Amino acid sequence: IELNNNLCLFISVTIQIVFIFWTAWAQRTLKNALTLQTLNTNIAKNLILFLGDGMGVPTVTAARILKGQLSGQSGEETLLEMDKFPFVSLAKTYNTNAQVPDSAGTATAYLCGVKANEGTVGVNAAAVRSQCNTTKGNEVTSILRWAKDAGKSVGIVTTTRVNHATPSAAYAHCVDRDWYSDNEMPADALETGCKDIARQLFENIPDINVIMGGGRRYMFPRNTPDAEYPDMAKHNGTRKDGRNLVKEWTDRMSNKKGHYVWNKQQLLSLNPSNVDYLLGLFEPMDLTYDLERNDETDPSLTEMVDVAIKILRKNPNGFYLLVEGGRIDHGHHEGKAKQALYEAVEMDRAIGRADLMTSIHDTLTIVTADHSHMFNFGGYTARGNTIFGLAPMLSDVDQKPYTSIIYGNGPGYKIVNGVRQNITVDNNYQAQAAVPLVSETHGGEDVAVFAKGPLAHLLHGVHEQNYIPHVMAYAACIGQNREHCTTNGGAAGLRPIVSSIAALLTVSRLLC
Ligand SMILES: [Zn+2]
């Protein structure tokens, strides 16, 4: 009887502790949420957009669990840096001509404020992919340009080529995202006067303060050996016009505190207070996956963001910074969930670094994705199950184990002699897929938009993706829509006056 009593007491205390734990946590969360009733209506001096390419909601959840498990937690309860943002909304990602979008049309949406056709950057939906003669007259400018025109410093940091789809919509107007240099362009497009994207990076907005990522080969004349891989012909320069865009840039910047770097040592040896312009090209094409990065020679995304903000924040007018975790998408296309999720965790680390270097009082930070992927995880796994692990039971159909992570389609389709292949797991393991494809596809569902800082609450509910730069520009008093900025009270200042006038008009209408 005494044993039973003790057991009952133990169970009841445990239940109470568990009850108190979750209740106390929820109450803390509620208390924090109540503070959000006082809105931050400051003017955003600085704007930062973190773009996880292909970082759909299942990727965010899985990256959260991975981050927690990497620090010895079970993972599900962990907070990503983006989880700490107070406002979250959903963005509809479709392109004007595609239900499931690509990175070019979506980049045009969240950078230029208009939806566009897939494969096109910095042009509106009247421009047709690969048809050079549909470019002229259909160019649209980006928030990076609006910020530059307003006297802010501007920067682009990416783990892909700096002339890849996402960054290119910030400065280029191109009907084909694949026109990296003139070498990739058809002769008739060159004859019609279309320019390759690498060239546009330096010619359209000539004074972008910070440019970091990969893509060296597109900047140098054809057959020029690469500085880092001089013996590997596949990394040679590609330009047919014979131009050396890096030399042209350094010449132009020679008396403007401009520096070109191509490895980590050069980058970290710079003193950001003596640098006003930085061009960092760390690989001939995309940067390596973070899991395979050479920490001696290549900077992490976090290190690049750190240097970028140190350079940009010197401008008293503030800055706009686009940061792309660009290879989450590539990991997924290859069916390599481990690569994709480590990329997402690294981008989250960069978000944390930016948080330490800025303030929510004057910096609007947004984290989102351009589109999702056919990636998911499930299978009734237990709490704390390794995110790359197996579901707890064998399939009750083919009696084989299966991983929690699964792709809807892609290269991980593994049917051998009519049966599903058994599981092996390493960094480059391709998770199983239902439909065989060389490259796994994007997903079509909405993506999350996390926001903090001035007017972050305008990102609420479900919106079209092209709404995002309109909010950012409004918050910073740049771009087309600045009527609310003319009083010293800034974004908030005019509101009481406007509402008083509206009330007066209503009263006078009732009376007269
Ligand atoms: Zn993609």
Side-chain angles (χ1 to χ4, degrees), residues 53 103 329 333 371 373 442:
D53 196 314
S103 294
D329 179 70
H333 279 306
H371 55 73
H373 266 273
H442 297 170

Side-chain angles (χ1 to χ4, degrees), residues 372-448:
S372 187
H373 266 273
M374 295 296 281
F375 162 90
N376 221 317
F377 70 98
Y380 301 119
T381 43
R383 178 77 188 273
N385 198 62
T386 166
I387 188 64
F388 304 113
L390 300 175
M393 289 160 293
L394 300 181
S395 159
D396 51 11
V397 176
D398 68 9
Q399 318 305 325
K400 286 192 159 65
Y402 61 102
T403 53
S404 168
I405 287 175
I406 294 283
Y407 286 96
N409 59 36
Y413 176 88
K414 299 274 165 61
I415 304 292
V416 180
N417 299 329
V419 291
R420 196 163 56 88
Q421 211 180 40
N422 230 327
I423 312 276
T424 51
V425 180
D426 59 28
N427 283 358
N428 289 311
Y429 173 69
Q430 293 174 306
Q432 293 186 339
V435 175
L437 289 179
V438 170
S439 176
E440 177 266 6
T441 74
H442 297 170
E445 86 272 15
D446 300 346
V447 294

Side-chain angles (χ1 to χ4, degrees), residues 282-294:
F282 302 105
E283 286 293 333
M285 294 178 72
D286 301 324
L287 304 194
T288 60
Y289 284 122
D290 197 61
L291 264 180
E292 285 157 13
R293 184 170 57 85
N294 181 334

Side-chain angles (χ1 to χ4, degrees), residues 11 26 54 98 110 123 139 151 153 172 276 340 343 377 384 390 397 404 413 419 446 466 470:
I11 289 170
Y110 61 76
V123 287
E139 298 92 341
S153 290
D276 288 340
E343 292 296 304
F377 70 98
L390 300 175
V397 176
S404 168
Y413 176 88
V419 291
D446 300 346
N466 64 303
H470 291 264

Side-chain angles (χ1 to χ4, degrees), residues 69 91 93 334 367 384 393 460:
Q69 294 185 344
T93 63
E334 292 190 70
V367 179
M393 289 160 293
H460 64 99

Side-chain angles (χ1 to χ4, degrees), residues 264-508:
K264 179 172 168 173
Q265 286 86 347
Q266 292 171 345
L267 176 71
L268 297 187
S269 68
L270 293 174
N271 178 353
S273 54
N274 291 329
V275 179
D276 288 340
Y277 298 92
L278 173 62
L279 174 62
L281 300 173
F282 302 105
E283 286 293 333
M285 294 178 72
D286 301 324
L287 304 194
T288 60
Y289 284 122
D290 197 61
L291 264 180
E292 285 157 13
R293 184 170 57 85
N294 181 334
D295 198 40
E296 299 292 308
T297 57
D298 291 323
S300 67
L301 183 59
T302 304
E303 286 163 336
M304 292 194 287
V305 165
D306 184 273
V307 175
I309 293 178
K310 283 176 179 157
I311 293 171
L312 297 173
R313 70 180 176 190
K314 291 186 295 175
N315 186 335
N317 293 322
F319 65 84
Y320 172 86
L321 174 61
L322 168 66
V323 181
E324 185 197 19
R327 305 214 62 203
I328 302 167
D329 179 70
H330 297 172
H332 281 325
H333 279 306
E334 292 190 70
K336 297 175 180 176
K338 194 162 185 178
Q339 300 288 5
L341 296 184
Y342 271 80
E343 292 296 304
V345 168
E346 173 56 21
M347 190 180 84
D348 195 63
R349 199 163 73 90
I351 296 167
R353 180 66 60 92
D355 177 74
L356 292 175
M357 302 174 77
T358 56
S359 157
I360 54 161
H361 298 295
D362 67 1
T363 304
L364 173 63
T365 306
I366 292 177
V367 179
T368 189
D370 46 0
H371 55 73
S372 187
H373 266 273
M374 295 296 281
F375 162 90
N376 221 317
F377 70 98
Y380 301 119
T381 43
R383 178 77 188 273
N385 198 62
T386 166
I387 188 64
F388 304 113
L390 300 175
M393 289 160 293
L394 300 181
S395 159
D396 51 11
V397 176
D398 68 9
Q399 318 305 325
K400 286 192 159 65
Y402 61 102
T403 53
S404 168
I405 287 175
I406 294 283
Y407 286 96
N409 59 36
Y413 176 88
K414 299 274 165 61
I415 304 292
V416 180
N417 299 329
V419 291
R420 196 163 56 88
Q421 211 180 40
N422 230 327
I423 312 276
T424 51
V425 180
D426 59 28
N427 283 358
N428 289 311
Y429 173 69
Q430 293 174 306
Q432 293 186 339
V435 175
L437 289 179
V438 170
S439 176
E440 177 266 6
T441 74
H442 297 170
E445 86 272 15
D446 300 346
V447 294
V449 187
F450 305 83
K452 70 172 177 186
L455 302 190
H457 55 273
L458 298 181
L459 287 155
H460 64 99
V462 183
H463 298 288
E464 297 290 351
Q465 191 167 41
N466 64 303
Y467 172 63
I468 294 170
H470 291 264
V471 170
M472 296 184 87
Y474 186 89
C477 287
I478 62 173
Q480 58 168 2
N481 179 2
R482 299 189 225 181
E483 296 78 16
H484 60 292
C485 310
T486 45
T487 60
N488 7 346
L494 254 188
R495 266 173 226 146
I497 304 171
V498 170
S499 50
S500 315
I501 295 172
L504 212 64
L505 285 174
T506 314
V507 171
S508 69

Side-chain angles (χ1 to χ4, degrees), residues 70-87:
L70 287 172
S71 61
Q73 315 286 313
S74 72
E76 301 83 3
E77 72 297 332
T78 300
L79 288 182
L80 288 169
E81 293 298 331
M82 64 188 97
D83 291 339
K84 300 172 190 168
F85 283 37
F87 297 97

Side-chain angles (χ1 to χ4, degrees), residues 59-69 75-76 78-80 83:
T59 300
V60 172
T61 312
R64 174 191 302 138
I65 294 173
L66 173 60
K67 179 188 170 181
Q69 294 185 344
E76 301 83 3
T78 300
L79 288 182
L80 288 169
D83 291 339

